[in-house]
Amino acid sequence: MGILEKISEIEKEIARTQKNKATEYHLGLLKAKLAKYRSQLLEPSKKSEKGEGFDVLKSGDARVALIGFPSVGKSTLLSTLTSTASECASYEFTTLTCIPGVIEYKGANIQLLDLPGIIEGAAQGKGRGRQVIAVARTADLVLMMLDATKQDVQRELLEKELESVGIRLNKRKPNIYFKIKKGGGLSFNSTCNLTRIDEKMVQMILHEYKIFNAEVLFREDCTADELIDVISANRVYMPCLYVYNKVDQISIEEVDRIARQPHSVVVSCNMKLNLDYLLETLWEYLALIRVYTKKPGEPPDFDDGLILRKGVTVEHVCHGIHRTLAAAFKYGLVWGTSTKYSPQRVGIHHVMADEDVIQVVKK
């Protein structure tokens, strides 16, 4: 019995089991088994598979992966937003490998990857789905292209595919401290009231992974699935933007309904509608900021800013300018929204905001 058969058996078992107090331990065990088999499925087989890989060298300030079913307009979006031309046609699977393009926006270079369409069962390797999803795991943001004329069916299927290979969209990492120990049994603790899991369940899930000595501390009320994610430790948490294409073919009421859903943007690549708002939202989700530098006695250099992540400190800015600068740093003068008054003298741990200007003074 292969792994795929075992997985489908467990999925059927979960589907036909009623959810109540008496069966929750049984379901928890099944979920742990399912997660274990799925992670085995993700590990590459010993013999190397023939055929070219998809992975593209990471470049630019951020990486965005375009994921969606065949013929939803991924290649059209890439050709419209970037100067790269990706082949578009009215038949499915026009794109067969990964095609990279670069969006130049607010001085940042954002790498956009046009991936082949995903079909149902991609997580099991159908239609080169595993390579597509492997590239998506390395991105900073997933741009999920959906066909607005097909309701929410595509979205649910794609979420299920990505969920089964350990990509968690628009979720935070569960606040659970977990550490395997050499001995001493299971030490279980929680700082809040747990309503969805208890010590017996935790013990059973850990036994399924053959872990008998560990320290588990729950800092929030989590489910069994979230505990399994923490134990597996190969989950990727990333932001996702749902882009509904072909909105020129549906009614205005339907467009309004879709646009009001969380994390959703409606566009039409064909008629070039709402693409500027898509770029704006993309920038917001990537959490990038621009920091400008200034030499003493000269105006700031607004042409060539540093593109960094939200929450960076002056130390990161120094590393961005030159790696030896942080060691020789004395103090910085900052103009902008991160300070109470401009210019403000700051230390190396000061957190920068978007469009701040900094002047570094060395020892």
Side-chain angles (χ1 to χ4, degrees):
M1 198 181 192
I3 294 179
L4 286 174
E5 285 89 47
K6 284 179 184 171
I7 287 176
S8 67
E9 279 296 309
I10 293 171
E11 280 174 343
K12 281 175 194 162
E13 175 81 14
I14 289 175
R16 66 169 175 259
T17 307
Q18 286 184 331
K19 286 179 180 65
N20 55 40
K21 273 263 165 55
T23 60
E24 62 181 8
Y25 296 118
H26 178 58
L27 279 171
L29 259 182
L30 288 175
K31 282 174 183 170
K33 271 186 184 163
L34 190 61
K36 213 168 84 176
Y37 286 137
R38 275 185 179 155
S39 63
Q40 281 176 20
L41 195 66
L42 280 181
E43 284 161 16
S45 53
K46 292 289 176 279
K47 59 176 194 296
S48 62
E49 290 174 11
K50 288 278 185 288
E52 62 203 52
F54 274 171
D55 216 9
V56 174
L57 192 68
K58 208 167 186 170
S59 71
D61 303 298
R63 188 178 213 183
V64 177
L66 269 174
I67 274 190
F69 278 96
S71 288
V72 288
K74 297 186 293 297
S75 301
T76 316
L77 183 75
L78 181 88
S79 308
T80 315
L81 293 181
T82 70
S83 53
T84 312
S86 181
E87 197 185 331
C88 319
S90 56
Y91 54 88
E92 300 190 339
F93 291 110
T94 319
T95 309
L96 293 172
T97 61
C98 176
I99 296 170
V102 177
I103 305 173
E104 287 173 10
Y105 185 67
K106 290 188 180 177
N109 290 335
I110 301 165
Q111 188 182 34
L112 188 64
L113 300 179
D114 177 20
L115 294 167
I118 281 184
I119 51 172
E120 216 178 326
Q124 280 88 42
K126 274 189 197 167
R128 298 192 80 181
R130 228 181 281 173
Q131 286 108 311
V132 174
I133 290 168
V135 174
R137 280 175 80 100
T138 64
D140 300 305
L141 173 105
V142 168
L143 208 76
M144 199 182 276
M145 286 292 278
L146 302 159
D147 194 333
T149 57
K150 302 238 175 93
Q151 251 80 36
D152 290 339
V153 186
Q154 290 191 345
R155 178 171 170 169
E156 283 157 21
L157 283 171
L158 281 173
E159 277 176 349
K160 204 172 125 199
E161 291 296 333
L162 294 179
E163 196 96 342
S164 65
V165 292
I167 296 177
R168 302 282 175 268
L169 302 174
N170 295 327
K171 282 183 188 170
R172 282 187 309 109
K173 202 172 177 187
N175 199 350
I176 301 172
Y177 171 75
F178 171 74
K179 190 181 178 192
I180 297 173
K181 297 189 296 187
K182 287 279 193 311
L186 176 69
S187 136
F188 175 83
N189 240 324
S190 66
T191 58
C192 60
N193 199 11
L194 299 179
T195 57
R196 298 183 282 186
I197 197 167
D198 58 11
E199 191 169 352
K200 186 183 168 192
M201 178 87 121
V202 172
Q203 207 168 359
M204 285 171 78
I205 290 171
L206 287 172
H207 281 193
E208 183 55 46
Y209 279 92
K210 302 202 168 32
I211 297 169
F212 303 100
N213 305 302
E215 198 177 332
V216 183
L217 169 64
F218 282 79
R219 295 201 182 95
E220 61 184 13
D221 189 11
C222 293
T223 59
D225 291 326
E226 288 172 320
L227 174 68
I228 291 166
D229 284 352
V230 170
I231 298 166
S232 301
N234 61 352
R235 306 292 187 245
V236 184
Y237 297 86
M238 56 169 68
C240 173
L241 199 55
Y242 301 103
V243 180
Y244 287 87
N245 190 19
K246 307 184 186 178
V247 289
D248 49 305
Q249 297 175 15
I250 56 172
S251 67
I252 195 79
E253 291 80 23
E254 183 68 1
V255 174
D256 189 55
R257 185 190 70 81
I258 293 172
R260 287 177 193 279
Q261 290 177 356
H263 316 295
S264 300
V265 177
V266 289
V267 298
S268 169
C269 296
N270 207 6
M271 297 174 74
K272 297 188 171 47
L273 300 175
N274 212 20
L275 293 175
D276 47 351
Y277 177 67
L278 169 63
L279 284 175
E280 223 170 281
T281 319
L282 195 66
W283 177 268
E284 215 173 282
Y285 272 68
L286 284 169
L288 296 173
I289 63 166
R290 291 156 295 175
V291 175
Y292 302 108
T293 52
K294 177 187 180 305
K295 288 179 181 168
E298 287 181 28
D301 177 16
F302 285 121
D303 298 327
D304 193 20
L306 294 167
I307 306 289
L308 301 156
R309 290 293 154 105
K310 205 169 268 180
V312 294
T313 59
V314 174
E315 190 176 359
H316 292 102
V317 176
C318 292
H319 282 302
I321 299 166
H322 197 273
R323 59 197 161 87
T324 57
L325 192 58
F329 179 85
K330 189 179 180 188
Y331 66 88
L333 292 171
V334 174
W335 291 257
T337 51
S338 68
T339 57
K340 286 197 178 99
Y341 43 86
S342 296
Q344 184 173 317
R345 187 172 161 161
V346 298
I348 202 152
H349 298 300
H350 172 77
V351 178
M352 305 295 285
D354 192 21
E355 296 202 298
D356 275 2
V357 174
I358 185 168
Q359 179 186 323
V360 177
V361 178
K362 293 204 288 188
K363 283 174 189 162

